[in-house]
Amino acid sequence: MRITRVLGTALLALGLAAGPAAADSSPSPSASADGAAPTRAGTSFRTATELQQGQSATASASTGDYLYWSFPADTGQRPTVKATVKLPAAHGSQTWQLDVYDGLRRRQACQYGAATRTAEQGEPSVELACVLRTVRGWSEPWANDPLPGTYYARLTVVDLGSADLGKPVGVEVRADSKDIGGAAAVDGSLAKPLVPGIAAKSEDSGSGSKKAVLSSFGSDDGWSSGWWSDRWVWTAIGGLLAALAGIGGYALTRGSGRPSRVPPTM
């Protein structure tokens, strides 16, 4: 009975400990519906249009333009960028490409998805996707690991006939992410997330003139603080289960406490 009570208490503690971990592993919330979706795209890193995760942006452009958007990604997230290009009714074969860069403007490899696709003659649209590696809290200076901060999505056509150059196209881009949690945690963190560059917005400096400001994603608020992750919860759970296994093994092997055979008397 005592062992049963111990096991019951341990299972209750296990459920309470796993609760925060399950909450942390839920997908990131979508962008607020109060903010209007962007309807344009930037033409360079410096003028990239800001895009929140879970938010779709649209833009009208000409075939051959370089289109840029930026979005935030935090530690433990696995970002996914999707783009749909609506092509004109009459067009030849053309190849589109979606590239994603981190805050240091290093091109990040796609772990999954078709980031380069060809639309054959007459196809109405082409869809592209890029699933990045999980964002790490810290990395070696020589590594190309994704780090928390601003990410840039660039969309452009890389192969087409000269007759299609300059034709109007419609574009829709969306950035999402999956929260991987403590499975991707590392022992270290950046002092500040990588939020470089100048955003395509301005604020009043107080003197009536306008001045450029940093990206409004916020380099001080809303980012992971560093050492805590749900892997601490699972480490504690592992230690608890090991202790229970030791208690159970001892209870099963210690016997009744009396010798199994009484020695003969002299």
Side-chain angles (χ1 to χ4, degrees), residues 8-156:
T9 303
L11 290 175
L12 178 61
L14 180 64
L16 293 175
D24 290 343
S25 62
S26 59
S28 301
S30 300
S32 173
D34 296 338
T39 56
R40 65 178 181 83
T43 56
S44 67
F45 286 104
R46 292 174 61 87
T47 60
T49 298
E50 292 184 359
L51 178 67
Q52 294 294 336
Q53 289 190 22
Q55 189 178 36
S56 296
T58 57
S60 297
S62 299
T63 306
D65 290 344
Y66 283 85
L67 307 177
Y68 289 81
W69 295 265
S70 62
F71 63 94
D74 204 356
T75 303
Q77 294 181 342
R78 180 182 292 165
T80 298
V81 183
K82 296 181 179 180
T84 301
V85 183
K86 297 180 180 179
L87 303 172
H91 67 84
S93 176
Q94 49 188 261
T95 302
W96 288 78
Q97 182 167 304
L98 177 66
D99 297 307
V100 182
Y101 299 83
D102 65 6
L104 298 178
R105 299 183 185 178
R106 303 175 302 180
R107 184 177 181 273
Q108 294 294 319
C110 299
Q111 192 174 24
Y112 308 107
T116 303
R117 301 192 75 171
T118 299
E120 299 299 337
Q121 183 176 0
E123 289 188 6
S125 63
V126 59
E127 296 183 357
L128 305 100
C130 178
V131 181
L132 299 179
R133 294 171 295 165
T134 304
V135 178
R136 295 163 57 89
W138 178 85
S139 177
E140 295 287 352
W142 46 262
N144 194 38
D145 296 321
L147 296 170
T150 301
Y151 280 75
Y152 299 92
R154 184 181 73 179
L155 178 66
T156 190

